[in-house]
Amino acid sequence: MTDRVPVLKIGDVLLVSIQIDLEDQMVMDLQEDLSQRIVDTGAHGVVIDISALEIVDSFVGRMLASIAAISRVLGAETVVVGMRPAVAMTLVELGLSLGGVRTALNLEQGIGELRRSRGAGPVRP
């Protein structure tokens, strides 16, 4: 049995905070778990925090794009937040554009991006 990445619900947004380097099976489990949570909760947004990841290989990069595409089909927009510069450079060097995946520097900006896309006002402190 592999570890699973927790999927937390905050309002109508699902938050996935990836705190460990992902193995291929964990990524596939995350894709399945997140898809089911979107259906179960009717979430309109997904934020995937990858700030703890030091390495993203081509498989994980493709799966992030795949998760975003599946979420979009299920009615939820995805924003990936917290990408380290080294990870961004690696993805570009691998030729992965993460098409369809929106990014933001941090969680606050990511949630703000989802709110703007739904026509909601900015989050006030």
Side-chain angles (χ1 to χ4, degrees):
M1 184 173 169
T2 61
D3 292 329
R4 290 192 119 54
V5 177
V7 178
L8 307 174
K9 184 177 183 299
I10 303 172
D12 64 349
V13 173
L14 296 178
L15 173 62
V16 178
S17 182
I18 301 171
Q19 298 296 311
I20 58 174
D21 287 330
L22 296 173
E23 297 174 9
D24 293 355
Q25 185 61 47
M26 290 176 71
V27 176
M28 294 173 65
D29 290 343
L30 173 59
Q31 181 177 323
E32 183 178 315
D33 293 347
L34 185 56
S35 300
Q36 190 60 51
R37 286 293 304 268
I38 291 169
V39 171
D40 291 346
T41 64
H44 294 287
V46 174
V47 176
I48 300 175
D49 177 8
I50 63 169
S51 60
L53 295 184
E54 295 181 14
I55 298 171
V56 173
D57 63 15
S58 61
F59 177 76
V60 173
R62 283 193 309 272
M63 290 305 288
L64 286 173
S66 177
I67 287 171
I70 292 168
S71 299
R72 193 170 36 258
V73 169
L74 295 173
E77 294 295 321
T78 300
V79 178
V80 174
V81 302
M83 186 178 302
R84 293 179 181 208
V87 170
M89 287 186 271
T90 300
L91 291 174
V92 170
E93 289 171 2
L94 291 171
L96 296 172
S97 63
L98 298 183
V101 178
R102 290 188 291 175
T103 59
L105 291 178
N106 56 48
L107 178 60
E108 183 178 2
Q109 289 180 3
I111 290 176
E113 181 71 26
L114 289 172
R115 290 181 59 82
R116 277 189 295 281
S117 72
R118 296 198 64 220
V123 177
R124 303 274 184 225

